[in-house]
């Protein structure tokens, strides 16, 4: 998976950007990657050479070069043997750090994140036993957009109920004193006020958030 991510390319006129071009660099001009990646690579090399003297320990693992790396925040659901040796882990977190220097870099990074999510989904399809959840800088915005589509049915249902209750509350058995249109026009007034407030917030550069969905009901 890590190898597939580092091979992701973002084509631009005359050049193809990869993770190595947009990653945050160490002092030795190499990409910063999570320590758990080094741990897993060393475990892979140990198995390839039939070495049995390397084991992942939790929460600190000692690498072959003598470095002690902390993996407590990158492994979840850990089961350990004696001497903190990891028997199994239910979750692994991998983080990739991208630069944010200028507008071009931000645009490339955004497209790289999109390709990253596609790569993770493809890897998920070919490895159905492993559950993978990509998370990028745009994940919250995308989730919010999905939430608005999912809640559309409930929002429409709530509005119909509110309109019905407003009309019923202003209705009486006496047809002279009954004023159902007054209740309906009251809702229209509140709706116009809400739209006006949202327009003012939008013009002043404010960002939309889910709190605004409850404003009409609070005003009622």
């Amino acid at each position: 998976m890590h190898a597939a991510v580092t091979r992701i390319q973002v084509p631009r006129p005359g050049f193809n950007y990869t993770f190595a071009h947009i990653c945050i660099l160490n002092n030795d001009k190499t990409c910063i990657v999570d320590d758990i990646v080094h741990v897993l690579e060393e475990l892979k090399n140990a198995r390839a050479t039939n070495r049995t003297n390397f084991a992942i320990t939790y929460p600190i693992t000692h690498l072959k070069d003598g470095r002690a790396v902390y993996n407590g925040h990158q492994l979840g659901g850990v089961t350990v043997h004696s001497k903190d040796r990891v028997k199994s882990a239910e979750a692994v977190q991998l983080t990739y750090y991208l630069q944010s220097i200028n507008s071009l870099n931000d645009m490339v990074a955004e497209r790289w994140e999109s390709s990253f999510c596609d790569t993770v989904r493809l890897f998920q399809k070919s490895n159905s036993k492993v559950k993978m959840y990509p998370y990028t800088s745009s994940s919250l915005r995308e989730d919010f957009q999905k939430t608005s589509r999912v809640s559309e049915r409930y929002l429409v249902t709530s509005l119909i109920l509110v309109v019905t209750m407003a009309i019923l509350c202003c209705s009486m058995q006496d047809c002279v004193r009954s004023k159902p249109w007054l209740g309906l026009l009251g809702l229209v007034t509140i709706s116009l006020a809400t739209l006006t407030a949202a327009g003012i917030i939008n013009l002043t550069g404010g960002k939309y958030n889910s709190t605004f969905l409850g404003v009409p009901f609070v005003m009622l």
Side-chain angles (χ1 to χ4, degrees):
M1 178 63 198
H2 174 69
V5 169
T6 55
R7 288 196 300 266
I8 294 175
Q9 293 187 354
V10 177
R12 292 291 299 166
F15 193 78
N16 290 331
Y17 289 87
T18 64
F19 177 69
H21 298 110
I22 59 176
C23 67
I24 297 179
L25 301 176
N26 276 316
N27 294 331
D28 57 357
K29 303 301 180 181
T30 59
C31 291
I32 294 178
V33 295
D34 283 343
D35 290 328
I36 191 64
V37 174
H38 299 299
V39 173
L40 295 176
E41 287 179 346
E42 187 153 332
L43 179 62
K44 180 181 178 181
N45 294 333
R47 290 183 175 180
T49 56
N50 293 323
R51 288 191 294 113
T52 59
N53 59 344
F54 178 76
I56 301 177
T57 54
Y58 184 84
I60 296 176
T61 300
H62 296 275
L63 299 180
K64 185 179 179 180
D65 58 6
R67 288 191 301 134
V69 298
Y70 178 75
N71 54 35
H73 64 295
Q74 295 166 328
L75 296 178
V78 178
T79 303
V80 296
H81 281 301
S82 59
K83 297 182 180 180
D84 296 331
R85 297 182 62 176
V86 175
K87 178 181 179 181
S88 64
E90 297 180 2
V92 178
Q93 174 182 293
L94 299 178
T95 307
Y96 296 91
Y97 306 93
L98 305 180
Q99 298 179 15
S100 180
I101 301 175
N102 49 48
S103 58
L104 175 61
N105 188 270
D106 291 342
M107 181 179 63
V108 173
E110 184 176 354
R111 294 184 61 182
W112 188 92
E113 288 179 348
S114 178
S115 299
F116 167 77
C117 292
D118 294 337
T119 301
V120 172
R121 294 188 187 101
L122 289 174
F123 193 86
Q124 171 74 79
K125 290 181 180 179
S126 59
N127 299 271
S128 57
K129 293 183 179 180
V130 180
K131 298 296 182 182
M132 309 188 72
Y133 304 95
Y135 187 87
T136 65
S137 60
S138 60
S139 293
L140 285 177
R141 182 178 69 250
E142 294 173 356
D143 288 344
F144 178 74
Q145 292 173 350
K146 293 178 182 178
T147 302
S148 63
R149 291 193 293 268
V150 171
S151 61
E152 187 178 49
R153 180 179 59 183
Y154 302 102
L155 182 60
V156 171
T157 303
S158 300
L159 290 175
I160 293 175
L161 291 175
V162 169
V163 170
T164 303
M165 288 299 299
I167 294 176
L168 290 177
C169 289
C170 293
S171 299
M172 300 181 181
Q173 293 182 351
D174 188 350
C175 60
V176 176
R177 300 175 60 187
S178 181
K179 299 179 180 179
W181 288 106
L182 181 62
L184 183 60
L185 290 175
L187 290 176
V188 172
T189 302
I190 293 176
S191 300
L192 292 175
T194 304
L195 291 175
T196 302
I200 293 174
I201 293 174
N202 185 47
L203 288 174
T204 55
K207 294 184 178 180
Y208 180 80
N209 59 71
S210 59
T211 307
F212 293 155
L213 291 175
V215 170
F217 302 99
V218 173
M219 294 177 67
L220 288 174

